[in-house]
Amino acid sequence: MIPGKSITAVIRYNERKVAKGFAMLLEADKFGCDAADLTYSQKLLRFRLLTRQNKKVKTNAVHISLNFTPEDLLGRERLHSIVRSYMQGIGFGDQPYLVYEHLDSAHPHVHIVTTNVQEGGKRIDLHMIGREKSEPTRKAIEKEFGLIPAESRKPEQEYQIKPINLEKVRYGQVETKAAISAVVRDVLRSYRFTSLEDFRGILTQYGVYVEGGRPGSRLSDKRGIIYCLLDDDGRRIGVPIKASDFYFKPTLNNIEKKFAPAAIARQAYAERLKITIDRIMAPMSRPLTDEAFTTALAEKGIYVHYQKDDGADIARLTYIDNKTRVVYAGDELGAAYSLSGIRTRMIPPPQQDIQKAADNSEFVKSVLAGTDFSKTLPQILTYWAAQGMMISVDEKGKYGPAYFLSRRGARWSHRVAADPSVSRWLNVNQVTAAQCELFRERLDKVLPPKPAYSEKRDIDIIAYRINQLIKELIVIIAQIVEEIFKLTPGRSYIPYQLLQTSRKKRTIKKRGHRPR
């Protein structure tokens, strides 16, 4: 539990993780709506309504991290119950709070954002809350939900997945049965998988193969399985060993007992796996062959196992995350991660995509050319929105906020960097990323859905319909602009032309010339 003085900073930290795909908002308790429907501003406002009731409380932000081990069986509902029990136990059960699940570590963990200022302005005392409330509550929850106690882990192993330490067995170099036994025992103890094929995929990367026999064979009829070694080319070598010959009995019946618990335990890592694959398959850097795809994932600690059919064609792929030790078949993650989905995503971007980026650039130029910069900021932003042009801001630009312009509904990669003079004008008028995001959200509620840029004919039809509707909605747009980009007391809008004139005067003075 980390007390703080800025609820804004705590929310921003978690929201940035969400924006990068490293976290997801699970729950928004006492916010009056579903978590998915909340905007950034609404989240912040809910807490500010409380903190403003007692401005004497300077330490009014509470940031809590609940950590679990990969062995804890955490379903989504179970996780919600654990969080509620914890917040009730530490005396925050009546407070609004946000729950973010972070996906950037090997161990499951959630971050909770709340405030210690109650309705009416009363403060929840944070002094000694860790020792007197958090620790007893944590121990009670571990017992109630059957979680692994924190005390049972060694400090250096806490919340970490050890890198696999299995020597890849080689036929003739180490005693076969002992080598296979070491690999199989460690895999069964560490990995979460839900089928024999998944188990086979894990073992394959360590030079071990498991087989259940072909349908109709004596081995298959008796539900027996055998283990053997693989050479560097993936061919089976040596004398197979029956599962019943190993002292720990890795038989089919015993392996299948692990499937149901594993199906629950691996859920926390599915999103992390999808995010990693999505980043590798990003349009500008995507691998274009199976080999490149496999190599790229291997660098992230994910082994891709290709299952072949009787005709030796690849029929299915399985992802084995050696960092989190979970296994998912591609189609279990979704159609986009199946064999056919991945190969579809490997297709290079079509030439039309390049043309759409060029069209967006021309669109921005035409809107700027028709802009009357002698008008006020709200008037200009209203004109831009009426034309269908939106602003986005990267507040981490090299030289300050970086402003981008694009057609409403255009892809993020098609944005056009604003001209330096336009960027400077927007910056001095304090146009922020939060304002632009809120403006976009408000427009989405009153304007038609974003157009799908599939064919030029569709674009023309949709553009015509939007233009017709925008004429009727200009008054609404102007009201939204005035509300979001309104001035704070003591400030006035800085005209674009005044900024340009001031810049010219500074340039003349710097060169040592006087205007005539």
Side-chain angles (χ1 to χ4, degrees):
M1 180 182 295
I2 305 175
K5 298 180 187 254
S6 174
I7 195 74
T8 304
V10 178
I11 294 178
R12 188 186 299 124
Y13 166 78
N14 286 280
E15 288 294 323
R16 282 178 178 171
K17 293 268 188 179
V18 173
K20 292 178 180 179
F22 294 146
M24 57 192 298
L25 180 61
L26 289 185
E27 185 178 357
D29 195 72
K30 297 177 180 63
F31 275 76
C33 64
D34 292 337
D37 297 330
L38 286 171
T39 65
Y40 174 84
S41 300
Q42 289 170 332
K43 296 168 190 172
L44 192 57
L45 179 61
R46 179 69 179 91
F47 291 117
R48 282 181 174 172
L49 289 174
L50 292 175
T51 58
R52 287 171 182 169
Q53 296 182 38
N54 190 343
K55 294 185 178 180
K56 292 182 179 180
V57 180
K58 301 302 180 183
T59 302
N60 54 20
V62 181
H63 195 188
I64 302 166
S65 177
L66 299 183
N67 297 270
F68 308 91
T69 69
E71 289 76 20
D72 291 324
L73 302 180
L74 297 172
R76 200 61 88 214
E77 286 301 319
R78 196 159 182 256
L79 195 56
H80 287 319
S81 299
I82 290 172
V83 170
R84 291 191 192 102
S85 294
Y86 178 82
M87 296 300 282
Q88 195 70 38
I90 64 172
F92 279 73
D94 294 328
Q95 293 296 93
Y97 58 84
L98 300 171
V99 182
Y100 295 87
E101 180 180 13
H102 285 216
L103 307 165
D104 52 355
S105 299
H107 67 280
H109 66 291
V110 297
H111 285 230
I112 305 170
V113 180
T114 187
T115 179
N116 60 322
V117 179
Q118 298 173 295
E119 191 67 47
K122 187 177 179 180
R123 177 179 65 92
I124 298 176
D125 188 12
L126 300 178
H127 182 63
M128 302 295 284
I129 193 173
R131 188 177 72 178
E132 294 181 0
K133 290 187 177 180
S134 182
E135 277 296 295
T137 300
R138 190 254 309 165
K139 292 177 180 179
I141 288 175
E142 287 173 347
K143 186 175 181 180
E144 179 185 353
F145 291 91
L147 306 177
I148 295 178
E151 292 82 0
S152 67
R153 294 185 293 266
K154 295 180 181 179
E156 68 272 13
Q157 294 176 333
E158 191 170 20
Y159 312 137
Q160 294 183 9
I161 300 294
K162 293 188 299 181
I164 198 156
N165 191 24
L166 299 175
E167 180 185 17
K168 189 167 183 177
V169 269
R170 301 198 180 271
Y171 185 64
Q173 292 184 345
V174 290
E175 200 275 312
T176 303
K177 185 176 180 181
I180 293 176
S181 176
V183 172
V184 173
R185 186 174 62 251
D186 204 352
V187 166
L188 287 174
R189 184 170 57 240
S190 305
Y191 283 83
R192 271 90 46 178
F193 53 90
T194 59
S195 72
L196 184 63
E197 182 57 39
D198 292 348
F199 182 46
R200 182 181 298 125
I202 302 168
L203 294 177
T204 297
Q205 62 183 328
Y206 300 115
V208 177
Y209 189 82
V210 59
E211 183 180 8
R214 293 180 177 276
S217 66
R218 183 180 177 186
L219 184 64
S220 177
D221 291 343
K222 291 185 174 293
R223 289 177 53 80
I225 54 174
I226 56 175
Y227 296 88
C228 63
L229 297 180
L230 296 173
D231 62 17
D232 290 334
D233 296 322
R235 293 189 296 261
R236 282 167 274 183
I237 56 175
V239 178
I241 302 173
K242 293 189 297 183
S244 56
D245 288 345
F246 294 97
Y247 76 91
F248 56 97
K249 306 301 180 190
T251 60
L252 185 59
N253 287 337
N254 288 333
I255 291 171
E256 287 179 341
K257 292 177 183 177
K258 294 181 172 290
F259 292 171
I264 299 173
R266 68 176 183 167
Q267 289 176 2
Y269 300 102
E271 201 65 27
R272 168 188 166 92
L273 191 54
K274 290 195 287 186
I275 289 170
T276 304
I277 297 169
D278 288 340
R279 289 185 177 276
I280 286 174
M281 299 303 293
M284 301 306 293
S285 59
R286 69 183 67 171
L288 303 179
T289 64
D290 288 347
E291 183 178 0
F293 177 65
T294 301
T295 301
L297 279 178
E299 293 173 356
K300 303 293 184 181
I302 299 171
Y303 174 74
V304 182
H305 173 60
Y306 292 95
Q307 180 184 351
K308 298 183 178 180
D309 58 21
D310 292 337
D313 294 325
I314 299 174
R316 190 175 186 240
L317 57 80
T318 301
Y319 302 102
I320 302 167
D321 191 338
N322 289 314
K323 288 187 176 181
T324 60
R325 298 192 177 186
V326 300
V327 185
Y328 271 98
D331 49 11
E332 288 179 323
L333 293 176
Y337 307 93
S338 65
L339 180 64
S340 60
I342 291 296
R343 286 184 170 169
T344 299
R345 294 166 75 180
M346 286 179 182
I347 299 173
Q351 190 64 30
Q352 296 121 337
D353 196 54
I354 301 172
Q355 184 60 46
K356 287 170 192 172
D359 290 344
N360 186 66
S361 179
E362 289 300 319
F363 165 78
V364 170
K365 288 179 182 178
S366 67
V367 174
L368 291 176
T371 301
D372 182 359
F373 282 101
S374 66
K375 295 186 175 181
T376 64
L377 175 74
Q379 291 172 329
I380 292 173
L381 295 186
T382 300
Y383 170 74
W384 285 358
Q387 298 301 311
M389 188 167 80
M390 304 302 296
I391 309 170
S392 54
V393 188
D394 180 2
E395 294 185 338
K396 290 187 176 182
K398 188 175 181 180
Y399 303 105
Y403 293 89
F404 298 88
L405 306 173
S406 64
R407 186 198 299 265
R408 180 172 176 264
R411 289 185 182 179
W412 192 254
S413 58
H414 293 173
R415 298 176 306 161
V416 177
D419 181 87
S421 60
V422 175
S423 292
R424 195 160 47 249
W425 171 65
L426 292 170
N427 189 22
V428 297
N429 280 288
Q430 299 182 19
V431 175
T432 65
Q435 286 177 320
C436 293
E437 181 61 30
L438 179 59
F439 185 44
R440 188 178 293 106
E441 291 175 358
R442 292 285 299 275
L443 284 184
D444 285 345
K445 293 180 180 179
V446 298
L447 294 181
K450 297 176 184 178
Y453 297 110
S454 55
E455 297 179 8
K456 190 177 187 308
R457 181 179 62 84
D458 293 336
I459 298 174
D460 293 339
I461 293 172
I462 294 171
Y464 171 78
R465 290 175 180 169
I466 289 178
N467 286 334
Q468 293 299 312
L469 287 167
I470 283 179
K471 290 178 182 179
E472 303 171 7
L473 293 166
I474 286 196
V475 175
I476 298 176
I477 293 174
Q479 290 173 347
I480 295 174
V481 169
E482 289 287 352
E483 181 183 338
I484 294 176
F485 298 95
K486 63 183 177 182
L487 292 170
T488 56
R491 279 191 57 231
S492 60
Y493 295 116
I494 300 177
Y496 177 84
Q497 291 179 332
L498 178 62
L499 195 65
Q500 293 301 98
T501 303
S502 174
R503 185 173 177 81
K504 286 180 181 178
K505 287 181 178 179
R506 286 200 306 271
T507 303
I508 291 171
K509 187 176 181 180
K510 192 174 182 180
R511 289 176 179 172
H513 297 293
R514 292 180 178 273
R516 294 180 182 179

